Amino acid sequence: MKQMQHMKTQDKIKVKNTIVEIDGDEMTRIMWKMVKEKLLLPYLDMDLDYYDLGLKYRDETNDKVTVDAANAIKKHGVGVKCATITPNKDRIKEYNLKEEWKSPNATLRAALDGTVFRAPILVKNILPGVRNWTKPIIIGRHAYGDVYKNQEIRVPGPGKGELVFTPSDGGQPIRCTIHEFKGPGILQGIHNTDKSIGSFAKACFTFALDQKVNLWFSTKDTISKTYDARFRQIFQNEYEKNWKTKFEKAGIEYFYTLIDDAVARIMKAEGGLLWAVKNYDGDVMSDMLGSAYGSLAMMTSVLVSPEGFFEYEAAHGTVQKHYYKYLKGEKTSSNPMALIFAWSGCLRKRGELDKTPEVVDFAKKLEDASLETIESGIMTGDLLRVATPSPKNKQVYTEEFVDAIAKNLQKKM
Ligand code: NAP
Ligand code: MG
């Protein structure tokens, strides 16, 4: 890699407090290093608390490093994470693992009790599938319970399907009949907790205020008069108790509507809002939005905890197929945009918390330099396929793309 001309340390922008840096796997690990060396380290004097979540080191430490990384975010408040492999049977063989370690993101989410927000990166020459979506629609997905933690029964024949709750204090069980089966069928039981819904609500209000965007929340409480209604109540109580005044001051609003009404309205909206949704709605709607906005590599993700800790990352994985090409010595046209925006998001947040406007300003310059690069027609293969008009230039390799951004960034410094 060509060495950048580094400024002297005393001339660099000082990031006041520590950032937790979480390294990862495969092609994103390669791009991570490139982004750091070419776009960040030449300009920033940062104190990075580094955790290597590359699969090899997770295995060596029996995954302790993931727990350490989560604790570091709790200590310092802001972290940035590269994509990581979630091991499966193939990976156990490939990396000769001691165990099938848990998904690092699941571990981090559980430790920080966080909610994941996903937002698209918009550029002028990639038109959204829905033409009025000119501003980002951010999805806040509740990542606990419902159908993702269910129990199901294949009902073999006639009989009674019941819902039973048995109190731990020895009190009377509560039961109700779900259905009197006359023949074969299916049964499902799902749950959620006030605590988890409350954390979700807090995280959504925190994020909407942080981004200064309206918050929409939608469920089906006209049909689900206890279950979905509880979500609505918890959001409403949280809003009135802790956020109403802050929202009014910031000039943003909290808006509840039915999920089907929200879907209809979203199609006509221009964006620039946070849409909070239950687990299943979030699973489905985030994929729809991701594809409508162009490419997986143009989707950022941030984990926000109810205590106000922030962890930024790309929404995509480690881009395994590109990595295998890279290992064979081939150059790839992998897109580092979401990784760059994970860094800029984390730097902006660090700067806001530290009250260092020069760091916030650098984050903006980094984003602008990246967006302008794509808008000038220099882009990776994934974007070239969806750009309008399709640029005359051919796709560039990752390193050429990062170099082009570095050149634009240099001009702004
Ligand atoms: P992926 O890394 O998201 O990539 C899937 C496909 O999407 C790629 O093959 C590529 O398509 C395209 N793509 C994604 N990111 C791209 C980028 N930055 N630039 C260009 N194209 C991009 O998913 P995967 O290959 O199925 O998963 C690989 C590993 O990632 C798995 O081990 C999984 O556990 C892990 N994962 C981690 C996270 C995380 O840490 N947050 C999230 C998801 C998955 P083409 O091949 O057509 O070019
Ligand atoms: Mg999905």
Side-chain angles (χ1 to χ4, degrees):
M1 215 178 286
K2 199 174 75 200
Q3 205 52 43
M4 284 291 296
Q5 275 292 285
H6 281 221
M7 291 183 203
K8 292 199 196 92
T9 304
Q10 66 265 30
D11 297 332
K12 290 186 188 179
I13 299 164
K14 174 79 191 137
V15 181
K16 195 163 144 202
N17 284 302
T18 303
I19 288 174
V20 180
E21 179 193 358
I22 304 177
D23 209 344
D25 288 299
E26 301 193 312
M27 205 59 217
T28 42
R29 189 181 180 100
I30 308 295
M31 292 197 276
W32 190 260
K33 188 160 181 278
M34 233 182 251
V35 166
K36 255 179 88 179
E37 287 183 358
K38 289 174 185 267
L39 303 177
L40 306 173
L41 297 181
Y43 304 108
L44 299 172
D45 175 16
M46 295 188 276
D47 176 25
L48 298 170
D49 191 7
Y50 178 87
Y51 295 84
D52 182 0
L53 263 59
L55 187 50
K56 190 166 162 289
Y57 193 63
R58 271 184 276 152
D59 194 52
E60 271 173 40
T61 62
N62 297 328
D63 209 22
K64 186 174 168 297
V65 65
T66 309
V67 177
D68 292 345
N71 287 331
I73 294 178
K74 285 187 184 171
K75 181 171 169 205
H76 298 293
V78 183
V80 58
K81 179 181 169 289
C82 183
T84 46
I85 293 169
T86 298
N88 55 17
K89 299 281 178 284
D90 293 340
R91 300 298 199 163
I92 293 182
K93 255 202 235 144
E94 185 183 352
Y95 285 82
N96 192 20
L97 300 179
K98 294 182 216 161
E99 257 183 58
E100 191 172 325
W101 304 110
K102 277 207 308 201
S103 148
N105 283 359
T107 304
L108 290 164
R109 233 180 355 244
L112 300 172
D113 188 15
T115 300
V116 174
F117 298 94
R118 290 190 160 187
I121 303 165
L122 304 189
V123 284
K124 290 199 193 87
N125 44 348
I126 295 170
L127 303 178
V130 178
R131 62 176 180 274
N132 45 287
W133 287 355
T134 51
K135 292 182 189 166
I137 295 169
I138 306 162
I139 284 265
R141 171 183 172 187
H142 186 212
Y144 178 82
D146 299 357
V147 74
Y148 301 86
K149 232 176 153 70
N150 69 358
Q151 289 294 339
E152 303 187 330
I153 297 172
R154 169 81 175 97
V155 173
K160 182 155 71 168
E162 285 185 290
L163 195 59
V164 185
F165 169 73
T166 314
S168 315
D169 65 6
Q172 273 302 311
I174 307 169
R175 62 193 330 136
C176 61
T177 302
I178 297 175
H179 191 66
E180 297 275 2
F181 286 90
K182 306 271 184 287
I186 41 182
L187 255 180
Q188 181 185 63
I190 61 172
H191 83 282
N192 228 296
T193 67
D194 282 9
K195 181 167 181 281
S196 175
I197 301 165
S199 294
F200 172 48
K202 274 201 181 72
C204 291
F205 287 113
T206 305
F207 191 76
L209 186 66
D210 182 60
Q211 300 283 308
K212 305 252 179 323
V213 291
N214 291 336
L215 170 61
W216 292 17
F217 180 48
S218 46
T219 72
K220 192 72 184 176
D221 68 312
T222 45
I223 299 296
S224 171
K225 291 182 194 301
T226 303
Y227 197 104
D228 279 21
R230 188 70 191 135
F231 277 82
R232 181 179 180 173
Q233 274 163 11
I234 289 176
F235 266 72
Q236 193 63 36
N237 293 346
E238 177 64 26
Y239 176 63
E240 276 159 26
K241 200 167 137 218
N242 298 318
W243 304 91
K244 199 163 187 290
T245 340
K246 292 177 195 158
F247 267 46
E248 281 164 4
K249 234 192 234 159
I252 53 175
E253 63 172 30
Y254 169 60
F255 171 60
Y256 176 84
T257 188
L258 283 173
I259 180 72
D260 36 358
D261 181 49
V263 168
R265 283 170 189 260
I266 278 284
M267 296 309 288
K268 300 250 191 290
E270 63 166 7
L273 60 95
L274 167 60
W275 187 15
V277 275
K278 289 174 62 199
N279 212 346
Y280 176 81
D281 299 331
D283 185 347
V284 177
M285 291 301 162
S286 63
D287 286 350
M288 182 190 72
L289 288 168
S291 116
Y293 276 116
S295 159
L296 207 50
M298 297 293 274
M299 189 62 91
T300 62
S301 181
V302 54
L303 179 71
V304 180
S305 85
E307 290 112 307
F309 306 133
F310 294 79
E311 184 224 16
Y312 294 82
E313 65 168 340
H316 60 75
T318 61
V319 215
Q320 181 181 11
K321 279 194 222 141
H322 294 210
Y323 182 61
Y324 291 157
K325 282 192 192 158
Y326 168 88
L327 287 181
K328 281 195 252 159
E330 288 173 41
K331 283 189 181 180
T332 70
S333 185
S334 324
N335 185 343
M337 282 296 281
L339 293 178
I340 295 172
F341 273 66
W343 273 102
S344 63
C346 139
L347 286 164
R348 177 179 293 110
K349 177 52 64 188
R350 185 74 278 171
E352 284 169 4
L353 293 174
D354 296 350
K355 302 200 167 46
T356 49
E358 61 282 9
V359 175
V360 176
D361 180 58
F362 175 82
K364 169 99 171 60
K365 285 178 174 153
L366 175 58
E367 289 179 358
D368 287 347
S370 308
L371 299 172
E372 284 162 21
T373 303
I374 296 175
E375 287 174 356
S376 76
I378 301 174
M379 59 185 80
T380 47
D382 56 319
L383 297 184
L384 201 71
R385 288 197 286 270
V386 291
T388 347
S390 181
K392 305 257 178 318
N393 345 14
K394 60 175 180 32
Q395 68 172 37
V396 293
Y397 294 121
T398 306
E399 188 156 9
E400 295 172 89
F401 181 65
V402 176
D403 284 337
I405 296 173
K407 220 163 116 191
N408 280 340
L409 181 60
Q410 178 72 55
K411 280 185 231 152
K412 293 178 189 293
M413 298 304 294

